[in-house]
């Protein structure tokens, strides 16, 4: 396959309600969509970088810049999905930008071959159980309303975002209101220090599935130390940047569970390698989310259908975040989403919906 070029598309998706985490509040999801145009057809990619470098070092304009300046121009001549990231090896970092480009090329290739993302990645299920991520709220009653609403919609697992000052009490309140049967976990997005170990151990009585990324992403040994004090299983997210870092974290005892984020680890093929490392080590894995549109969501649902993704992911329905998705919406069916079976991502952006959220586009031609 030969690329003619790649179109970058800046979109702004208004969120149905503000989403607050320990690193900030989002009201609009700004992201970059990529459309790879090749001699054999088109493919779509989605870059998960936020508009500011507050979750990771990458950000939307930085990704656009590295894509136009270095990454897209490197893909001259014959290219296919599996060759994209190796060909970009000389350019350090920028995993989110690389992931988006790999995804667009892979989608174009798979559409041309008539193979779905799920089939290519090795999915073994045609539907996946879905969890939902619940942001930090202004009050406990507001949180209980939100959690009650999601449980009513059928979500099979609840994840509460936590930070110092919003941890033990919200968890206690949710357990007291909704009972011990609810699958419940928390995500700190690096908001704590090892010195908080005894405080975090106060979450142990609530029988949580896991506590996600309590400490800074570079503090693998500190997570291993924390695991000696806290009984709740530790899950790493931000710390897992590759299959190699996942293998190290597991060997060090820094995590018992891994959250795989394809858009953050350099693509779906690296995400599958992380899945394989986890499976080989009997470490449970699940697919996280970055407030993707239906484009990224389609691929995430395919990854979540791999056999080693044994816990419900953050692969929520489209209406968890957006009134209007850019593809046909993903709709919850008895707490599950169907894995798209069509070629490539199995979904295609709807021109009108896409137009409505597009801020600007840019065409990067390949010589
Ligand atoms: Mg997380």
């Amino acid at each position: 396959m030969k690329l003619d070029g790649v179109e970058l598309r800046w979109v702004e998706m208004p969120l149905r309600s503000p989403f607050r985490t320990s690193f900030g509040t989002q009201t609009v999801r700004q992201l970059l969509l990529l459309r790879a145009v090749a001699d054999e057809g088109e493919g779509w990619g989605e870059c998960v970088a936020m508009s500011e470098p507050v979750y990771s070092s990458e950000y939307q304009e930085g990704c656009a810049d590295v894509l136009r300046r270095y990454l897209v121009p490197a893909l001259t001549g014959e290219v296919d999905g599996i060759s994209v990231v190796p060909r970009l090896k000389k350019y350090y970092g920028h995993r989110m930008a690389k992931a988006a480009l790999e995804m667009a090329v892979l989608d174009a290739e798979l559409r041309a071959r008539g193979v779905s993302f799920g089939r290519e990645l090795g999915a073994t299920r045609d539907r996946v159980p879905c969890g939902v991520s619940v942001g930090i709220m202004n009050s406990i009653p507001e949180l209980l309303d939100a959690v009650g609403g999601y449980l009513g919609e059928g979500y099979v697992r609840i994840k509460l975002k936590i930070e110092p000052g919003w941890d033990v009490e919200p968890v206690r309140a949710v357990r007291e209101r909704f009972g011990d049967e609810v699958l419940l976990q928390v995500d700190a997005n690096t908001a704590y220090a090892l010195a908080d170990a005894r405080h975090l151990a106060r979450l142990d009585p609530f029988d949580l599935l896991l506590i996600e990324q309590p400490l800074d992403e570079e503090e693998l040994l500190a997570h291993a130390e924390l695991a000696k004090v806290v009984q709740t299983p530790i899950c790493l997210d931000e710390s897992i940047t590759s299959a190699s870092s996942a293998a190290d974290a597991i060997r060090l005892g820094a995590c018992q569970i891994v959250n795989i984020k394809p858009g953050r680890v350099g693509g779906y093929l690296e995400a599958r390698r992380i899945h394989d490392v986890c499976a080989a080590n009997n470490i449970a894995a699940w697919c996280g989310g970055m407030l993707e549109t239906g484009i990224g969501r389609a691929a995430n649902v395919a990854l979540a259908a791999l056999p080693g993704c044994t816990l419900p992911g953050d692969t929520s329905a489209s209406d968890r975040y957006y009134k209007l998705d850019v593809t046909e919406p993903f709709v919850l069916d008895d707490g599950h989403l169907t894995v798209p079976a069509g070629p490539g991502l199995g979904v295609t952006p709807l021109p009108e919906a896409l137009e409505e959220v597009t801020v600007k586009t840019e065409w990067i031609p390949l010589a």
Side-chain angles (χ1 to χ4, degrees):
M1 195 169 75
K2 279 186 121 167
L3 284 180
D4 296 330
V6 173
E7 182 188 67
L8 302 185
R9 181 178 290 262
W10 282 253
V11 302
E12 289 187 1
M13 310 267 295
L15 294 181
R16 289 184 62 183
S17 56
F19 186 56
R20 183 175 153 201
T21 63
S22 61
F23 57 84
T25 302
Q26 289 173 273
T27 54
V28 176
R29 178 64 162 124
Q30 293 160 308
L31 36 77
L32 266 186
L33 298 179
L34 275 64
R35 182 170 61 98
V37 180
D39 51 357
E40 292 177 21
E42 293 184 2
W44 289 85
E46 176 165 343
C47 181
V48 299
M50 294 170 61
S51 55
E52 298 177 322
V54 291
Y55 169 80
S56 80
S57 63
E58 293 190 76
Y59 62 102
Q60 191 184 27
E61 288 304 325
C63 290
D65 188 66
V66 78
L67 281 161
R68 84 163 66 82
R69 206 184 283 266
Y70 302 107
L71 306 186
V72 174
L75 299 186
T76 50
E78 282 294 316
V79 69
D80 59 5
I82 203 170
S83 66
V84 171
V85 169
R87 283 180 61 175
L88 304 176
K89 195 169 188 291
K90 69 185 273 198
Y91 301 115
Y92 274 86
H94 297 285
R95 288 187 170 94
M96 291 178 177
K98 289 176 179 174
L101 187 53
E102 179 199 80
M103 181 181 172
V105 173
L106 187 59
D107 183 37
E109 177 200 329
L110 295 180
R111 283 179 200 266
R113 280 169 42 202
V115 173
S116 71
F117 253 69
R119 178 137 171 242
E120 179 73 8
L121 294 176
T124 51
R125 286 168 287 176
D126 53 17
R127 62 205 287 268
V128 295
C130 297
V132 62
S133 178
V134 185
I136 294 165
M137 303 277 172
N138 294 317
S139 69
I140 299 276
E142 196 184 333
L143 174 72
L144 294 176
D145 277 355
V147 171
Y150 291 129
L151 290 173
E153 288 174 40
Y155 284 105
V156 303
R157 182 273 276 154
I158 298 291
K159 164 165 130 180
L160 305 182
K161 291 288 191 179
I162 60 169
E163 66 182 3
W166 182 266
D167 43 36
V168 178
E169 291 318 313
V171 167
R172 183 197 312 279
V174 169
R175 269 285 179 248
E176 281 177 0
R177 170 71 67 87
F178 301 105
D180 295 338
E181 299 305 307
V182 172
L183 298 181
L184 186 62
Q185 63 193 52
V186 295
D187 183 4
N189 291 108
T190 76
Y192 294 85
L194 184 55
D196 298 316
R198 284 179 188 282
H199 177 72
L200 291 171
R202 291 178 58 208
L203 292 168
D204 287 341
F206 300 106
D207 193 26
L208 301 177
L209 284 171
L210 57 92
I211 175 170
E212 186 177 339
Q213 198 70 43
L215 314 179
D216 190 81
E217 62 184 76
E218 294 182 3
E219 296 184 344
L220 282 188
L221 284 176
H223 279 100
E225 290 300 313
L226 181 65
K228 294 176 187 164
V229 181
V230 174
Q231 279 170 10
T232 306
I234 290 174
C235 171
L236 289 179
D237 173 3
E238 285 90 333
S239 294
I240 305 298
T241 53
S242 64
S244 147
S245 68
D248 286 357
I250 291 167
R251 171 68 79 85
L252 286 168
C255 64
Q256 292 123 294
I257 299 171
V258 168
N259 171 0
I260 309 176
K261 290 238 184 88
R264 196 174 56 58
V265 301
Y268 286 87
L269 301 179
E270 187 68 14
R272 182 176 61 185
R273 283 179 212 113
I274 295 174
H275 163 275
D276 294 349
V277 164
C278 292
N281 286 279
N282 283 319
I283 291 284
W286 52 282
C287 179
M290 294 278 295
L291 281 64
E292 284 90 347
T293 72
I295 295 173
R297 198 163 301 278
N300 283 352
V301 169
L303 183 82
L306 266 60
C309 289
T310 51
L311 291 171
D314 282 341
T315 46
S316 308
S318 297
D319 71 359
R320 156 66 183 91
Y321 295 108
Y322 305 118
K323 271 205 191 86
L324 173 76
D325 206 338
V326 300
T327 62
E328 55 267 47
F330 280 83
V331 179
L332 215 55
D333 173 21
D334 190 25
H336 289 64
L337 288 184
T338 301
V339 181
L345 295 169
V347 298
T348 304
L350 306 167
E352 267 180 34
L354 202 55
E355 215 43 58
E356 191 164 328
V357 296
T358 296
V359 178
K360 64 171 174 174
T361 61
E362 175 183 337
W363 175 247
I364 306 173
L366 263 169

